[in-house]
Amino acid sequence: MSTPAHVPAADSPDSPGSPGSPADPLARERSHLSASRAALRAMREDVQALDIKDVTANWVNAEVLARQIDDRVKALADLSDTPLFFGRLDYLHAPGGERAEGAEGERFYIGRRHVHDAGGDPMVIDWRAPVSQPFYRASRKDAMDIGLRRRFGYTGGDLTAYEDEHLSDPGESAITSKLLQREIERPRVGPMRDIVATIQPEQDEIVRSGLSGTVCVQGGPGTGKTAVGLHRVAYLLYAHRERLARTGTLVIGPNKSFLHYIEQVLPALGELAVRQATVDDLVAQVEVRGTDEAAAAVVKGDARMAEVLRRALYAHVSMPAEPVVVVRGSRRWRVPAYELEELVRELQDRDIRYGAAREALPQRIAHAVLVQMERAGEAPDDRVQDAVARDRAVKAAVKGMWPAVDPAKLVLRLLTEADFLAEHAAGVLDEDEQETIRWAKPVRSVRSAKWSAADAVLIDEAADLIQRTHSLGHVVLDEAQDLSPMQYRAVGRRCTTGSATVLGDLAQGTTPWATRSWEEALTHLGKREGHIEELTAGFRVPTDVIAYASRLLPHIAPGLTPVASVREHPGFFEVCAVAEPAETVAACARLLRNEGSTGLIAADARVPALAEALTAAGIAWLAPGEETTRETRLTLVPASLAKGLEYDYVVLDEPQAVVDGEPDERTGLRRLYVALTRAVSGLMVTHSAPLPAQLG
């Protein structure tokens, strides 16, 4: 018989002060873990055993229900090497008021998902449930009615240790959790894992903030901002599941490698229905085959381009010179030009989408005809109005006054026709800026054009001016500091009626258009009311490493607070002078003797030579986005792709080359800051050229 998770603490053999405590209370916890796994297995088997043959009206409903059942089975998977629960809360007594969830002496095991026994009694409580919140926020100053908080230690999926904190005992001094510290510093191999067992109070406050508000999280390296953002999605799906099931959620990352790195976090928490994409994925209406010079990309990414596009689009609207004559049977109905002009101006004044106005115009003309019919004694109905709106004369008039516009063709015309661009960019872009973005050679068609990523964003903006973009319930935007204003607008269109979680670090902005302030970013996103939070406690990067990297902050982001590492161990840190790539490869071999993953980060131009040196030395390596294994734990990372990734140990090759690989020194120093802060346990810097002076 399974042991319920809410056994009264007074009756528990290992509760504080309980007589007859067993010599090994760990055995009781292991027993509960085994029973909980069995209960989860039974829950999954119950779902798998459902017979839906006779419960649906048609094959479409059957397909939908089958897919829902399949998703539920996947969500109930028991990951053998992942703890089913990681903590326990013993309530002192039944709290009053808002905290009435906890009855007297109740005990709750806190885990990644809810598990109940055959009778429906909870054995594990979802970490997102209100009753679980004290596990993250309770302290000696505010015990939140908790007598004991217990943390569990695991090796693989086996429970191996526990650690108690008696929050209600005034005589017991506060302790630093060794299990918590060990979990934070545990070596990792493979993709990013969840941090649900180690969420800190300031992180939990962000995770549990409401769905209606937009939150912007500024966080330096290792502060857990990405994990906080993903756990916030999981929490919102728990607290607002029905609403978000209708409206949808989306996680946006900087590149495919990053998305691959984080893709297992939400499934580990039982959430499978969250789409992941890059900004380029969102705006992929044309094939991107070209690239822009930095100066052109900066202008194209400027928010002023939205006004240029709006002007160019609405320049297609023209006032009528002739009346519309509609023939119905033996009668001719005439709508004069001045009345048509009034209809056009009314639609312009309403400030609705270009396409919506174009669809409304024939109905407005038809209504004017119906008014004349009624005055003549006829009694037309809606069918007559629809027929008039489809009349050939009305269609021709609408085509002349409010023609259809293809967004890609509109952008192509702006980029290739100097006069057209000059007309609509007057007073917005100066002549040099116009010259910068204009294509040197004419292009015959949209299909033959070599569109750049920035061009695709312009086309997306134009498409939204014509037809409203579908809005989601919640969007998470990670590594946001590298987005242009126009890219922010593209993301903002996807959550106009929803909210957003914006994650980034101003010090890690490495694009020429990098974000200057979060207030400005939120304005471009359309979320000016968003709340900005700052995370400054570093849980990932060792003390010595973050201290070394922070020497760059006065030169790249003077207003930011340096990250303060809360790691118990300072970590491994070494700067080595080398003569040739073979010595850098030898440093990698040395670090591979340790447990965990190793990343060799280098300036993009130096990657081919290092790849040859690794192969010559017989060291297997992976590219970013490929999952590390026990056998292959070294990843060769171009500096341009290092952002957002992390490795237990990092060898950073030639820092000055990383700086020199960027268009300007400030961007290069920011790229170097990113590369220096990818290590979780240790960093070795190898160099033959002098180090950048900013590193002291």
Side-chain angles (χ1 to χ4, degrees):
M1 182 176 179
S2 62
T3 305
H6 55 289
V7 174
D11 297 335
S12 169
D14 61 321
S15 60
S18 173
S21 296
D24 183 15
L26 198 59
R28 181 185 182 280
E29 305 293 16
R30 285 171 173 161
S31 175
H32 184 77
L33 176 61
S34 298
S36 299
R37 289 195 183 280
L40 179 62
R41 185 166 56 252
M43 290 170 62
R44 189 168 62 254
E45 290 171 351
D46 286 346
V47 176
Q48 290 172 323
L50 290 174
D51 185 356
I52 62 171
K53 287 185 294 186
D54 300 321
V55 299
T56 56
N58 54 56
W59 70 270
V60 176
N61 290 341
E63 284 286 331
V64 171
L65 183 57
R67 190 176 299 113
Q68 291 174 341
I69 290 174
D70 185 54
D71 288 344
R72 177 62 176 162
V73 170
K74 291 177 181 177
L76 291 172
D78 185 7
L79 307 177
S80 59
D81 59 347
T82 302
L84 188 57
F85 57 79
F86 47 82
R88 194 184 94 185
L89 292 176
D90 290 0
Y91 275 82
L92 290 172
H93 47 72
E98 295 181 358
R99 294 189 294 181
E101 307 99 331
E104 182 174 356
E106 279 190 315
R107 167 175 300 161
F108 297 94
Y109 287 83
I110 312 302
R112 286 167 168 76
R113 58 175 61 82
H114 176 86
V115 179
H116 60 256
D117 63 15
D121 291 324
M123 302 191 69
V124 180
I125 301 295
D126 195 302
W127 66 276
R128 299 166 287 187
V131 76
S132 303
Q133 188 170 336
F135 183 78
Y136 302 105
R137 298 205 192 175
S139 65
R140 296 192 183 284
K141 291 183 179 179
D142 181 10
M144 300 179 71
D145 210 34
I146 301 300
L148 177 139
R149 174 167 54 200
R150 173 170 287 182
R151 301 182 190 275
F152 296 107
Y154 286 83
T155 301
D158 297 326
L159 198 160
T160 55
Y162 71 91
E163 181 181 76
D164 289 343
E165 189 177 2
H166 299 281
L167 298 176
S168 61
D169 186 352
E172 185 171 312
S173 59
I175 63 169
T176 300
S177 171
K178 301 294 184 183
L179 289 179
L180 181 61
Q181 196 70 38
R182 191 173 75 185
E183 174 61 22
I184 290 173
E185 299 181 9
R186 177 165 59 92
R188 71 250 8 243
V189 173
M192 182 181 183
R193 63 171 183 258
D194 65 76
I195 61 163
V196 65
T198 63
I199 291 173
Q200 300 299 296
E202 65 272 19
Q203 296 173 322
D204 187 67
E205 187 173 347
I206 296 171
V207 167
R208 295 177 192 264
S209 54
L211 175 61
S212 59
T214 288
V215 180
C216 176
V217 183
Q218 158 63 41
T223 54
K225 57 185 177 295
T226 295
V228 166
L230 295 174
H231 285 69
R232 174 160 159 72
V233 173
Y235 172 77
L236 292 175
L237 286 168
Y238 174 89
H240 307 278
R241 189 168 300 280
E242 185 175 335
R243 178 176 171 184
L244 289 178
R246 295 194 310 269
T247 56
T249 52
L250 174 67
V251 174
I252 302 174
N255 51 57
K256 297 292 186 182
S257 297
F258 179 85
L259 293 176
H260 179 72
Y261 178 64
I262 68 171
E263 66 183 357
Q264 292 304 316
V265 173
L266 289 168
L269 300 171
E271 300 298 343
L272 306 171
V274 180
R275 180 185 162 208
Q276 296 183 352
T278 65
V279 173
D280 291 343
D281 294 332
L282 297 183
V283 301
Q285 300 186 40
V286 292
E287 182 183 359
V288 173
R289 298 185 295 148
T291 57
D292 284 315
E293 295 291 336
V298 169
V299 178
K300 289 179 180 179
D302 195 297
R304 293 175 296 163
M305 287 300 300
E307 174 61 17
V308 176
L309 288 165
R310 190 194 66 79
R311 290 182 182 183
L313 174 63
Y314 282 91
H316 290 78
V317 178
S318 61
M319 296 305 162
E322 298 178 351
V324 171
V325 178
V326 177
V327 179
R328 295 281 299 174
S330 61
R331 303 291 301 270
R332 294 163 61 88
W333 306 99
R334 182 176 180 274
V335 182
Y338 75 85
E339 191 170 342
L340 293 173
E341 182 174 340
E342 288 178 1
L343 296 179
V344 170
R345 294 196 184 280
E346 285 176 7
L347 288 172
Q348 287 178 320
D349 292 341
R350 287 189 60 191
D351 195 29
I352 60 176
R353 292 295 195 281
Y354 183 94
R358 186 175 187 276
E359 292 172 1
L361 183 56
Q363 289 290 336
R364 297 292 184 92
I365 297 172
H367 178 73
V369 172
L370 260 66
V371 169
Q372 294 182 30
M373 290 180 175
E374 289 170 349
R375 287 174 182 169
E378 297 187 17
D381 56 18
D382 290 344
R383 290 175 297 178
V384 174
Q385 179 168 333
D386 289 340
V388 172
R390 295 193 300 270
D391 185 86
R392 182 179 301 174
V394 173
K395 286 183 176 181
V398 170
K399 184 178 180 180
M401 292 182 291
W402 210 294
V405 178
D406 179 86
K409 290 180 179 178
L410 177 69
V411 174
L412 183 63
R413 190 178 176 193
L414 277 172
L415 296 177
T416 57
E417 296 182 20
D419 292 342
F420 188 69
L421 176 60
E423 178 184 355
H424 302 299
V428 180
L429 304 179
D430 62 35
E431 291 183 3
D432 288 341
E433 289 173 322
Q434 294 176 35
E435 179 68 26
T436 298
I437 65 172
R438 196 166 58 244
W439 291 358
K441 297 180 180 179
V443 178
R444 287 181 294 180
S445 68
V446 168
R447 184 169 296 181
S448 63
K450 290 189 176 181
W451 299 106
S452 69
D455 297 332
V457 177
L458 295 179
I459 293 170
D460 188 72
E461 177 83 24
D464 184 71
L465 287 169
I466 297 169
Q467 202 72 41
R468 184 182 298 276
T469 304
H470 172 67
S471 177
L472 300 166
H474 192 78
V475 170
V476 173
L477 176 60
D478 205 352
E479 299 294 348
Q481 73 280 345
D482 278 331
L483 266 62
S484 70
M486 291 298 286
Q487 287 176 315
Y488 278 117
R489 291 174 62 88
V491 174
R493 288 192 281 278
R494 271 75 186 177
C495 55
T496 51
T497 58
S499 56
T501 300
V502 181
L503 312 165
D505 180 12
L506 296 178
Q508 296 186 58
T510 53
T511 55
W513 49 82
T515 303
R516 291 173 293 190
S517 75
W518 291 122
E519 291 82 3
E520 181 182 330
L522 289 171
T523 298
H524 293 312
L525 195 68
K527 303 294 181 183
R528 192 171 301 185
E529 77 291 346
H531 181 62
I532 301 172
E533 296 279 357
E534 186 172 9
L535 297 175
T536 58
F539 303 96
R540 175 174 59 78
V541 186
T543 304
D544 290 351
V545 175
I546 195 64
Y548 185 70
S550 294
R551 297 180 184 184
L552 298 175
L553 282 180
H555 307 281
I556 60 176
L560 290 186
T561 303
V563 172
S565 177
V566 297
R567 297 283 293 270
E568 187 176 61
H569 302 293
F572 168 79
F573 174 63
E574 190 174 321
V575 179
C576 301
V578 299
E580 55 184 356
E583 294 182 53
T584 298
V585 169
C588 294
R590 173 182 162 193
L591 292 183
L592 283 169
R593 297 170 191 162
N594 300 302
E595 182 184 1
S597 58
T598 298
L600 171 55
I601 303 178
D604 292 29
R606 292 178 59 84
V607 167
L610 289 170
E612 290 182 10
L614 287 170
T615 303
I619 299 177
W621 55 274
L622 303 167
E626 296 180 316
E627 190 171 322
T628 56
T629 64
R630 296 291 176 185
E631 294 73 29
T632 307
R633 295 181 289 113
L634 176 67
T635 304
L636 177 56
V637 187
S640 62
L641 296 181
K643 192 171 298 179
L645 306 180
E646 61 181 32
Y647 303 92
D648 288 292
Y649 294 91
V650 166
V651 176
L652 175 58
D653 168 76
E654 212 60 74
Q656 187 61 53
V658 174
V659 177
D660 294 341
E662 299 299 325
D664 58 83
E665 184 180 65
R666 187 175 186 183
T667 303
L669 291 173
R670 286 184 169 185
R671 183 76 71 190
L672 178 59
Y673 181 75
V674 171
L676 285 168
T677 53
R678 300 304 95 199
V680 175
S681 299
L683 169 68
M684 181 181 293
V685 178
T686 62
H687 68 101
S688 57
L691 293 170
Q694 293 83 354
L695 285 175

